[in-house]
Amino acid sequence: MFYVSVFVQYMAQYMKTKLQYRADVLVEWLSDFMAQAVNLVFLLVVFGHTTLLHGWTRDEILFIYGFFLVPYAVFAAFFNLWDFNERYIVQGEMDRVLTRPVHSLFQVILERMELESLLGAIPGLIIMVYTGARLSLTFHWYDVLVFILFVIGGALIYAGIFISLATVSFFADARTSIMPMMYNISGYGRYPVDIYHRVIRYILTWVLPFAFVGVYPAAYFLEKKEWYSYAFFTPVVGFVFFAVAVMLWNAGVRRYRGTGS
Amino acid sequence: MGKYVEMVRIRFLMMLAYRTNYYTGILIYAINIAAYYFLWSAIYGGKSSMQGMSLGQMTTYVAISWLARAFYFNNLDREIAMEIRDGKVAVELIRPYSYLGMKAVQGLGEGLFRLFFLSLPGLLVVSLFLPLQFPEHAKTWLAFGVSLLFSFIIFSELNLLAGVVTFFTFRNEGLLRAKRFIIDLFSGLILPLSFYPDWAQRAMMYFPFQAISYIPSMIMTESFQGAAVRDGLLLQATWCIILLFPIGWLWRTAKKRLVVQGG
């Protein structure tokens, strides 16, 4: 209960600060949409030259991309750990966080959340509706629940991986340049993984399971029966990766000594 | 001159100090290129060529684009923006060097490190597994080297320009992010410009972005031959010079109205 109340308080404060800088928020939305447009343009241009990608049609691939945007938006809104090392370790903010009465990871998440990123889910939903209609997909009432479950699973996978990466800063003085590269890798989970060599497929499924944020769960809605077992595994993988990340974080905090700044 | 060379060296050594990044960096570069190779294989789907490029050329194009990006990419815009916000820029301005010049050589130091210690080893690893096609002629390599240097200059100039704009806006995170995506899209990093529809290609002729990634990659894959190589290099050189003017003008104006908010 205490955590919920802290969360609500932070949300309220967040809204207030954001409304002070409206122009800034607008530009941030625009740049988010642009990031999505880069990938969309890539897909559209590529499908201007080909009709099938390993047996998958343009609309199916676009649908996967649309789905991916939703868990990604949830992740981006709540797990903005991009500059964790710089801000919390190098500049010593972690010392302050550790004196607070809530879990240190929860505190960091609250301080760094970017709720406006949730808007990134809207283009995703639009793409899904548009391509879903073109593919004349059928939906059941429980698909909404499945969708929510898959979105949470996907967001937790992302969160797990990026929290684990942030945790590295407790153990080694590594800078954050791994993070941007990880963002690149995460994009490959959006394509049908059967196009890749089995090593990459294995990595995207079990090591850096980004395929569970894109193609696997989306395959369920695309009624690709052969992928169903993977699709339903999404929440499990999400939970496992997140749990491991939290354990790593706790171990990291125990080792943390501060930089003295 | 000596102090600038020294700064390149110091940045290089700073990068060298973070070893953990280094090994993972090579690995991630390799995964990146390999994933692109399979993606493009699927896109080609058995076709021998698309837009005049074979699958081998396309794979090389992607590998070279990311290799080049490791070299030209830097965060000078963010660094400048941060120094302006923190007020550190005031101290920088009284130091006996050109602030923007010093920023540029810092970017060069980082770029050289990433080129030689990250992406080149990564490229070697990748070339063991994937059918990359490297040019045989020394002339192509030389032209590529020159082109890559131009890429760095143009990219850094755009970054300096965006950074200096912070003097006027103070907060422009969103703008900087938007700029990055525009460059990724229109520079030819994610796909060769020849794949875009004609009208888009024509529009892109008026922007400096293709000079960043498309031209060096086309030179290296030998998709550009003879006169096209020369024209590409000339276009890059032209943009290098043109961009100096707005930077110089904005920088002079900015210095006059510099407000240090503390620090």
Side-chain angles (χ1 to χ4, degrees):
Chain A
M1 233 13 241
F2 173 57
Y3 276 73
V4 176
S5 123
V6 172
F7 180 68
V8 173
Q9 298 277 342
Y10 260 95
M11 284 267 238
Q13 286 306 320
Y14 184 85
M15 289 304 187
K16 280 188 225 163
T17 37
K18 278 296 152 177
L19 290 173
Q20 285 298 313
Y21 295 101
R22 275 177 219 150
D24 218 52
V25 174
L26 188 75
V27 179
E28 268 172 41
W29 290 347
L30 280 177
S31 68
D32 274 358
F33 289 139
M34 245 146 139
Q36 298 170 348
V38 171
N39 301 304
L40 202 56
V41 168
F42 177 79
L43 291 178
L44 291 176
V45 170
V46 159
F47 277 102
H49 296 274
T50 184
T51 47
L52 282 179
L53 190 67
H54 213 270
W56 298 64
T57 65
R58 187 189 87 134
D59 287 330
E60 285 172 338
I61 300 279
L62 286 178
F63 184 90
I64 299 174
Y65 181 56
F67 173 84
F68 156 83
L69 290 177
V70 183
Y72 182 78
V74 175
F75 157 75
F78 293 106
F79 300 95
N80 181 20
L81 296 167
W82 181 268
D83 53 1
F84 173 76
N85 180 278
E86 202 76 358
R87 188 178 282 265
Y88 287 86
I89 305 294
V90 177
Q91 293 180 16
E93 290 274 300
M94 198 62 202
D95 296 352
R96 180 180 53 74
V97 168
L98 290 174
T99 62
R100 300 290 163 91
V102 294
H103 188 269
S104 52
L105 179 59
F106 188 63
Q107 179 74 30
V108 171
I109 287 168
L110 285 179
E111 287 177 13
R112 303 295 299 141
M113 66 181 174
E114 293 224 1
L115 293 177
E116 65 269 28
S117 300
L118 281 175
L119 291 163
I122 295 172
L125 293 171
I126 294 174
I127 294 172
M128 282 171 79
V129 169
Y130 171 74
T131 53
R134 281 171 60 104
L135 292 163
S136 45
L137 299 178
T138 49
F139 286 98
H140 312 281
W141 62 268
Y142 53 80
D143 279 350
V144 179
L145 298 178
V146 175
F147 179 73
I148 293 171
L149 205 61
F150 284 1
V151 165
I152 293 174
L156 287 180
I157 289 169
Y158 251 93
I161 291 172
F162 281 89
I163 291 170
S164 307
L165 278 185
T167 307
V168 172
S169 2
F170 290 124
F171 297 96
D173 55 350
R175 290 208 301 184
T176 46
S177 66
I178 305 175
M179 284 222 189
M181 291 190 272
M182 195 57 81
Y183 272 82
N184 289 332
I185 299 238
S186 73
Y188 301 122
R190 297 193 307 254
Y191 299 102
V193 282
D194 47 349
I195 65 171
Y196 301 121
H197 187 269
R198 58 194 158 76
V199 175
I200 297 179
R201 202 183 316 162
Y202 182 82
I203 291 174
L204 285 174
T205 308
W206 304 117
V207 186
L208 304 165
F210 291 115
F212 284 103
V213 190
V215 61
Y216 291 152
Y220 167 76
F221 299 104
L222 289 170
E223 292 150 26
K224 300 258 178 195
K225 296 234 164 39
E226 65 272 33
W227 299 93
Y228 274 19
S229 49
Y230 280 104
F232 287 117
F233 219 54
T234 305
V236 180
V237 176
F239 179 77
V240 169
F241 268 75
F242 189 72
V244 169
V246 173
M247 285 192 297
L248 281 174
W249 176 278
N250 289 338
V253 169
R254 273 199 295 282
R255 266 192 56 132
Y256 173 72
R257 284 187 309 252
T259 52
S261 48
Chain B
M1 196 61 205
K3 55 196 171 203
Y4 293 102
V5 175
E6 184 62 14
M7 187 49 94
V8 172
R9 198 177 73 88
I10 288 172
R11 267 288 168 123
F12 194 93
L13 292 177
M14 265 171 67
M15 299 288 289
L16 202 58
Y18 297 100
R19 301 259 161 90
T20 20
N21 272 354
Y22 170 55
Y23 304 105
T24 41
I26 294 176
L27 182 72
I28 289 178
Y29 175 84
I31 297 176
N32 234 325
I33 302 305
Y36 261 110
Y37 167 74
F38 292 110
L39 180 57
W40 277 108
S41 310
I43 294 168
Y44 270 70
K47 264 182 256 175
S48 64
S49 100
M50 279 171 99
Q51 301 303 106
M53 287 172 91
S54 67
L55 179 58
Q57 273 181 317
M58 184 55 83
T59 313
T60 313
Y61 180 95
V62 174
I64 292 298
S65 298
W66 286 95
L67 172 98
R69 189 173 192 268
F71 174 63
Y72 66 67
F73 188 83
N74 53 56
N75 284 313
L76 297 183
D77 49 353
R78 270 152 225 276
E79 284 177 32
I80 294 174
M82 211 190 297
E83 288 185 0
I84 289 171
R85 264 207 303 277
D86 296 351
K88 280 196 193 125
V89 73
V91 183
E92 288 290 327
L93 287 178
I94 58 172
R95 291 198 170 140
Y97 50 65
S98 145
Y99 174 65
L100 295 184
M102 197 49 102
K103 279 276 155 248
V105 295
Q106 286 176 348
L108 185 62
E110 275 186 25
L112 286 172
F113 173 85
R114 280 196 293 254
L115 180 66
F116 288 110
F117 285 87
L118 257 172
S119 47
L120 271 179
L123 191 68
L124 282 178
V125 172
V126 172
S127 63
L128 296 177
F129 303 102
L130 300 180
L132 298 183
Q133 301 172 350
F134 294 112
E136 287 162 15
H137 306 289
K139 245 169 70 184
T140 313
W141 285 87
L142 187 69
F144 173 69
V146 175
S147 181
L148 198 56
L149 199 60
F150 281 139
S151 299
F152 169 78
I153 296 172
I154 295 169
F155 187 87
S156 303
E157 282 177 336
L158 289 173
N159 262 354
L160 294 179
L161 198 60
V164 174
V165 170
T166 318
F167 271 96
F168 303 94
T169 56
F170 296 113
R171 281 178 64 96
N172 62 351
E173 268 299 302
L175 187 82
L176 298 186
R177 262 202 298 195
K179 186 201 63 157
R180 209 177 65 217
F181 298 126
I182 291 179
I183 290 181
D184 280 354
L185 193 55
F186 297 135
S187 66
L189 172 72
I190 58 166
L191 95 174
L193 297 185
S194 50
F195 275 68
Y196 285 97
D198 286 336
W199 59 266
Q201 286 189 39
R202 268 200 304 280
M204 284 175 217
M205 288 301 291
Y206 297 97
F207 293 98
F209 307 120
Q210 60 166 312
I212 294 172
S213 188
Y214 181 61
I215 294 177
S217 302
M218 290 303 268
I219 290 177
M220 195 59 168
T221 55
E222 292 186 319
S223 305
F224 277 0
Q225 299 275 358
V229 174
R230 190 201 61 213
D231 291 347
L233 290 176
L234 270 176
L235 184 73
Q236 283 186 305
T238 315
W239 275 111
C240 284
I241 295 164
I242 292 177
L243 285 170
L244 285 175
F245 292 101
I247 295 175
W249 177 72
L250 270 175
W251 181 237
R252 274 193 304 278
T253 325
K255 271 198 290 194
K256 270 185 218 139
R257 43 170 291 173
L258 170 67
V259 179
V260 176
Q261 297 167 297

